[in-house]
Amino acid sequence: MSYRYKIASVFLIGFFLDCINIFMSAIALPSIASTFNTGTANVAWVANSYILGMTLVIPMSTWLASRYSSRNVLSFSMVLFGCSVFFCGLSTSLYELIGWRFIQGIGAGLMIPIGQSLTFSLFQQKQRAKVSTFIMMVALIAPAISPTIGGLIVEHLSWHWVFFSSAPLSIIVSILAWYWVDNDNKADSERPDIKGLFLVSTALIALLVGMSIYSNSQYGIKAELIGTFAIVAALILVGIYIEHDKNHHDPIINLSLFKNNKLTLSIIIYYAIPGVFTGINLLNIFFLQDVLHFSADKTGMFMILYGIGAFIAIIACGKTYNHIGPKKLFVISLLIHSAGVASLLWVHLGSPIYVIILAYILMGLGGGLGANCAQTTALMDFDEHQMLKGSVIWNINRQISFCVGAAFFTMLFNLFCMNAHFQNADAYHLTYLIAALIGIFTLIFIVKRQKVTL
């Protein structure tokens, strides 16, 4: 095997591990919530803490690689990932599990950008398209099969083994990285914007904590005030960062890049489609298992349908992107995805299973089309100098959209559950309705502001 394919293999296996750990653990959340006797808002932090760890370290990964060498950082990241995922499985409390998931996210956050950068540097022009296809296939296959595998593990073993199962492969990747990646010379590089990173990370944590606390009825009025304070604090920190961005020559998130219409539109789409789906899928996992009494493995199988829809959409996007253009494709993806979310309104105890099948296929079609189109469009106008800064914004945005989507819809659901007029199933359906409407409002925004002709 040539050197560049060894590097690509290390990156793709590490990327696969990251993807399956997001979706396998999601299927296990109802079982984890039952074990620790907690609700959806609290157990959502099992996913949020992982993404927070990634968000925190992604902007520092290239600096660490230049300072300590790519081989050392890649190998260490997978050791950290493997050890933390093992301790996730040994966790005896929810807070312990959340802590180890945060560390696991740091390991993934080091691996992904460095591995991608090394791989892309070795595959140029037309060859890069082949690698991009491999990456898209991993990004498609892992979410499609991992919920089913995770469901089978939960049903026949326990949720602990959802985490244990990833440890051996991560250690193998660490060994491969140590022996296959050249020990490149360390180079002095400019220290990253630590203050900006602190402000962004703290603002995100405050926002997620505020929504989580605010949505828990058992905490009482005093806790709700604390939650409101946390959300206000997040907004204040965002304001401080805006001033910091004006005075720093190389901020961690360069806000001036948001003047690029394609980047801004792609970010909005990512919140309206993948962000919304992350939150709705999380809630629907609980709905299917707790209300409809589906098994974990049966629940996980619906993601295969999502993957089939996404696969079809990705192929369609590649064939039609240059002909139709991104804005019209965004409109089509929002329509299809919102229709899929709205289909969940007709899912109830005793309803035919084809309604759920239709919902996941439509969400897969809309999600695959919207995400792939956004990925293609976001950095299209950037030159080589702006590409790295734009890439940082894009990768951080992707992680934050997942966090915010999960936290926001979990908060809405719990707020509806507090209302005595709503039964549990009603709270789920009302949350699905709002999610569908968010897609429609985003569609109207694109049509009016971006002057899209239908």
Side-chain angles (χ1 to χ4, degrees):
M1 186 185 296
S2 64
Y3 178 70
R4 64 179 182 175
Y5 278 102
K6 288 180 179 179
I7 298 300
S9 298
V10 169
F11 165 59
L12 289 172
I13 298 172
F15 182 49
F16 178 79
L17 274 171
D18 168 53
C19 291
I20 65 173
N21 268 272
I22 292 175
F23 289 93
M24 282 177 65
S25 61
I27 286 296
L29 290 181
S31 182
I32 294 171
S34 177
T35 299
F36 297 126
N37 192 28
T38 189
T40 53
N42 290 333
V43 81
W45 278 94
V46 175
N48 287 342
S49 60
Y50 178 82
I51 297 175
L52 277 172
M54 290 188 69
T55 303
L56 177 66
V57 80
I58 281 175
M60 300 183 65
S61 58
T62 52
W63 175 74
L64 289 170
S66 66
R67 187 172 179 84
Y68 298 104
S69 89
S70 297
R71 186 190 74 172
N72 293 339
V73 176
L74 281 175
S75 186
F76 170 76
S77 70
M78 285 292 95
V79 169
L80 184 65
F81 189 98
C83 291
S84 58
V85 80
F86 180 76
F87 283 109
C88 282
L90 292 178
S91 298
T92 56
S93 73
L94 180 63
Y95 296 111
E96 186 181 346
L97 176 58
I98 289 171
W100 285 115
R101 283 284 284 174
F102 180 79
I103 296 172
Q104 185 191 354
I106 291 176
L110 289 172
M111 169 69 189
I112 302 304
I114 296 173
Q116 183 174 350
S117 176
L118 283 175
T119 301
F120 277 11
S121 67
L122 295 170
F123 289 82
Q124 299 293 329
Q125 297 176 353
K126 293 182 180 179
Q127 296 172 338
R128 186 173 293 182
K130 182 186 293 186
V131 177
S132 297
T133 300
F134 288 144
I135 294 172
M136 288 302 298
M137 292 304 295
V138 170
L140 180 64
I141 292 171
I145 66 171
S146 54
T148 303
I149 296 172
L152 289 170
I153 291 173
V154 171
E155 286 297 313
H156 298 286
L157 295 170
S158 71
W159 64 262
H160 304 272
W161 284 94
V162 168
F163 298 104
F164 289 147
S165 61
S166 297
L169 186 56
S170 59
I171 299 302
I172 290 173
V173 176
S174 175
I175 294 171
L176 292 177
W178 183 262
Y179 285 101
W180 282 358
V181 180
D182 287 344
N183 192 18
D184 49 332
N185 295 326
K186 299 178 229 178
D188 292 330
S189 59
E190 187 175 0
R191 189 178 181 184
D193 177 17
I194 300 298
K195 181 180 178 181
L197 179 61
F198 172 79
L199 289 171
V200 171
S201 302
T202 307
L204 177 59
I205 292 171
L207 176 64
L208 295 177
V209 167
M211 288 193 289
S212 178
I213 292 176
Y214 195 75
S215 65
N216 279 276
S217 57
Q218 67 268 31
Y219 292 160
I221 296 176
K222 185 176 180 180
E224 289 180 8
L225 291 174
I226 296 174
T228 303
F229 174 79
I231 293 174
V232 172
L235 297 176
I236 292 173
L237 287 167
V238 169
I240 295 173
Y241 180 81
I242 291 173
E243 290 300 315
H244 169 78
D245 173 80
K246 294 177 181 177
N247 301 316
H248 197 282
H249 73 284
D250 189 22
I252 199 73
I253 296 179
N254 192 331
L255 298 181
S256 65
L257 297 182
F258 284 96
K259 295 177 182 178
N260 183 288
N261 188 52
K262 290 181 179 178
L263 174 63
T264 303
L265 182 57
S266 297
I267 287 174
I268 291 171
I269 290 295
Y270 228 84
Y271 280 92
I273 298 181
V276 165
F277 176 76
T278 301
I280 291 306
N281 185 52
L282 172 62
L283 284 179
N284 205 48
I285 288 170
F286 279 89
F287 179 62
L288 293 177
Q289 295 187 39
D290 294 346
V291 178
L292 303 189
H293 310 300
F294 283 19
S295 62
D297 53 346
K298 187 175 181 180
T299 303
M301 290 181 68
F302 289 113
M303 278 301 295
I304 295 178
L305 301 171
Y306 180 92
I308 292 171
F311 178 75
I312 295 171
I314 288 171
I315 294 175
C317 182
K319 292 181 178 298
T320 61
Y321 183 88
N322 292 326
H323 177 66
I324 297 177
K327 292 175 184 177
K328 288 185 179 179
L329 287 175
F330 284 149
V331 169
I332 295 170
S333 64
L334 285 165
L335 279 171
I336 298 174
H337 188 263
S338 296
V341 175
S343 299
L344 294 174
L345 296 172
W346 281 269
V347 177
H348 53 80
L349 195 61
S351 62
I353 197 168
Y354 68 77
V355 180
I356 309 175
I357 292 173
L358 175 65
Y360 271 87
I361 290 177
L362 287 175
M363 288 190 291
L365 287 168
L369 182 61
N372 195 41
C373 187
Q375 178 77 46
T376 305
T377 304
L379 306 178
M380 181 173 289
D381 294 338
F382 286 19
D383 57 28
E384 186 176 350
H385 174 69
Q386 294 176 315
M387 184 63 71
L388 180 58
K389 295 178 181 179
S391 180
V392 170
I393 289 178
W394 181 245
N395 281 289
I396 290 177
N397 161 73
R398 286 197 304 174
Q399 305 306 326
I400 292 177
S401 69
F402 299 148
C403 279
V404 172
F408 177 72
F409 288 108
T410 302
M411 180 186 71
L412 278 184
F413 168 73
N414 282 282
L415 288 174
F416 293 143
C417 285
M418 294 180 198
N419 193 318
H421 298 291
F422 296 124
Q423 295 181 353
N424 209 23
D426 296 329
Y428 281 111
H429 288 145
L430 191 53
T431 307
Y432 298 154
L433 175 61
I434 292 175
L437 289 175
I438 287 174
I440 298 301
F441 289 144
T442 306
L443 185 153
I444 293 171
F445 167 81
I446 293 175
V447 170
K448 287 189 174 182
R449 297 295 182 88
Q450 304 298 323
K451 299 179 181 179
V452 178
T453 303
L454 297 176

